[in-house]
Structures are given as structure tokens and as C-alpha cells.
Amino acid sequence: SYELTQPPSVSVSPGHTASITCSGDKLGDKYACWYQQRPGQSPVLVIYQDDKRPSGIPERFSGSNSGNTATLTISGTQAMDEADYYCQAWDSSTVVFGGGTKLTVL
Amino acid sequence: EVQLVESGGGLLQPGGSLRLSCAASGFTFSIYWMHWVRQVPGKGLVWVSRINQDGSDTTYADSVKGRFTISRDNAKNTLYLQMNSLRAEDTAVYYCAREGIEAIGAGLDYWGQGTLVTVSS
């Protein structure tokens, strides 16, 4: 089965840029999505089709996907961005999630 | 406003059965693929199942295949997950989620608040 690998944790200082990676075999040949999940809340889609932002998602969130790695970039990170982030891809007709990355803003 | 409201969770013994419901509102339910995703508290998201617009096409994760059945009633704007032969490892918060309307590469653009299923003796 297809697997997506994320770092367990990433730290960033407020106002700086955070990058969260997601690795999978030939991931660049698939579309990647990203979700934010704050404690006690349901996931929120922040990036779809590699680099598109849903309505209401701030411009500081961006995505890219090439080769074996998809990347979520948060520019000018704010305290409110502290959350768990999950990547997701499609493998045939099934959905695959990465293990999640805890973003700490300190 | 798009809303997805899950219900039906609870505590039950191994081997038992349960049916989860997800009431949808604020959008044309019948034109969207729908999903179930679960999450053990404190752990990551795990995809469970997917169903197409009219219920004729369903897909399952290997871990639930043969035990869980996804279905929908478009007249009632409701998604279901029938869970049989439940195991302790099925304990999780179960979310229903809507798949975006894009043909390819869509994400799950709306999620419910989740319903907790606990399987324990």
C-alpha cells in the first residue's frame, strides 16, 4: 500500500517561514492536499491540487509537489498556525494520509 | 452554510455492530462524493471509506473491508457507516467529510465534528 511520510515535528519562530514535507514514491505524479487540525477541532483543508488554497485560507499558506516530495509552506507564521498538519494523496480510488506533523510556533 | 453532523457513536463490546449517520445541509448533497475518516484520540487521520454520488461505487480501507458498509440516502441528505464485527482497534473518532467538486486532486473540503466510537469489553 502507498505510504506518505512526514516529520513528527517542526518548530518555527513567529514571523518566520515554516516548511513541512511529505514524502512518497513518485508523489509528484499524484495530487497532494494538506490539512490543518488544531487541538480539539476537526481537520481543515488548507491546500488541494498541490498548490491551490480553498476560499478563506490565508495567502501565507502555499504548497508545492515535485519528485517524491510535497511541501507545505507557511510564510510569516503566526501563533494561530500552531497545529497538526497532515498531507494527503490519492492512490487509485483510495485516500492516503501522512502521519502528521506537529507545528510548534515559539 | 455547509454543515455535516455525525451521530450514532457510543460504547460497545467487541463483536458488536453500530451504524453511524452524517446529516448534511447547506449544499446539494447528491452531487458530491462523501467519505468517512477516523482518528484515534491523539493519533493521526486514517481514511475509512468513500462513496460516489448515487451510491453505486464504494471503496474501503483494507482494515475495514468486509466489516464496514458505507451508504447514503440522497432523499434524506444523509451518509451512513454500518460497522459490524467491531474490534478494539476500531475505537476512534469517526468523521464524515465531503470531497471537493474538482474532478481530480480534490481534497476533503468540509468535515463534521466527529462522533466517538469506543469498543471495549
Side-chain angles (χ1 to χ4, degrees), chain A residues 1 31-33 35 37 41-45 47-50 86 88 90 92-99, chain B residues 35 37 39 43-47 50 59-60 62 95 99 102-109 111-114:
Chain A
S1 61
Y31 275 119
C33 303
Y35 301 85
Q37 187 179 32
Q41 297 187 16
S42 301
V44 173
L45 179 68
I47 294 289
Y48 67 99
Q49 287 181 344
D50 293 341
Y86 296 89
Q88 175 248 305
W90 294 89
S92 298
S93 299
T94 66
V95 170
V96 180
F97 288 102
Chain B
H35 296 245
V37 177
Q39 183 175 36
K43 302 297 184 182
L45 301 173
V46 177
W47 178 79
R50 177 190 191 215
T59 315
Y60 298 91
D62 288 343
Y95 296 100
E99 182 179 316
E102 296 81 9
I104 301 174
L108 305 183
D109 61 357
W111 296 62
Q113 84 289 350

Side-chain angles (χ1 to χ4, degrees), chain B residues 9-31:
Chain B
L11 171 64
L12 63 163
Q13 294 186 339
S17 297
L18 198 63
R19 188 177 81 158
L20 304 182
S21 300
C22 171
S25 61
F27 66 101
T28 306
F29 179 70
S30 61
I31 68 171

Side-chain angles (χ1 to χ4, degrees), chain A residues 4-7 19-23 27 31-37 43-52 54 57 61-65 69-74 84-89 97-98 100-101, chain B residues 45 105-108 111:
Chain A
L4 295 174
T5 301
Q6 299 180 236
S19 294
I20 300 173
T21 59
C22 175
S23 300
L27 179 56
Y31 275 119
C33 303
W34 290 91
Y35 301 85
Q36 175 193 70
Q37 187 179 32
V44 173
L45 179 68
V46 295
I47 294 289
Y48 67 99
Q49 287 181 344
D50 293 341
D51 57 8
K52 294 180 173 57
I57 300 302
F61 288 86
S62 63
S64 63
N65 186 15
T69 304
T71 302
L72 173 69
T73 302
I74 309 172
D84 293 327
Y85 290 86
Y86 296 89
C87 62
Q88 175 248 305
F97 288 102
T101 298
Chain B
L45 301 173
L108 305 183
W111 296 62

Side-chain angles (χ1 to χ4, degrees), chain B residues 8-20 67-68 82-92 94 115-121:
Chain B
L11 171 64
L12 63 163
Q13 294 186 339
S17 297
L18 198 63
R19 188 177 81 158
L20 304 182
R67 300 188 299 122
F68 289 12
Q82 177 66 45
M83 304 187 294
N84 298 331
S85 303
L86 281 161
R87 307 166 180 166
E89 53 264 36
D90 295 319
T91 295
Y94 284 75
T115 187
L116 177 62
V117 174
T118 304
V119 183
S120 175
S121 54

Side-chain angles (χ1 to χ4, degrees), chain B residues 4 19-22 24 27-36 50-58 60 69-82 97-99:
Chain B
L4 298 170
R19 188 177 81 158
L20 304 182
S21 300
C22 171
F27 66 101
T28 306
F29 179 70
S30 61
I31 68 171
Y32 286 87
W33 286 77
M34 296 295 295
H35 296 245
W36 287 99
R50 177 190 191 215
I51 188 168
N52 73 337
Q53 292 89 340
D54 65 3
S56 62
D57 185 358
T58 59
Y60 298 91
T69 303
I70 189 172
S71 63
R72 65 192 295 162
D73 186 335
N74 287 340
K76 294 183 178 180
N77 290 337
T78 303
L79 175 72
Y80 302 101
L81 185 67
Q82 177 66 45
R98 188 183 84 169
E99 182 179 316

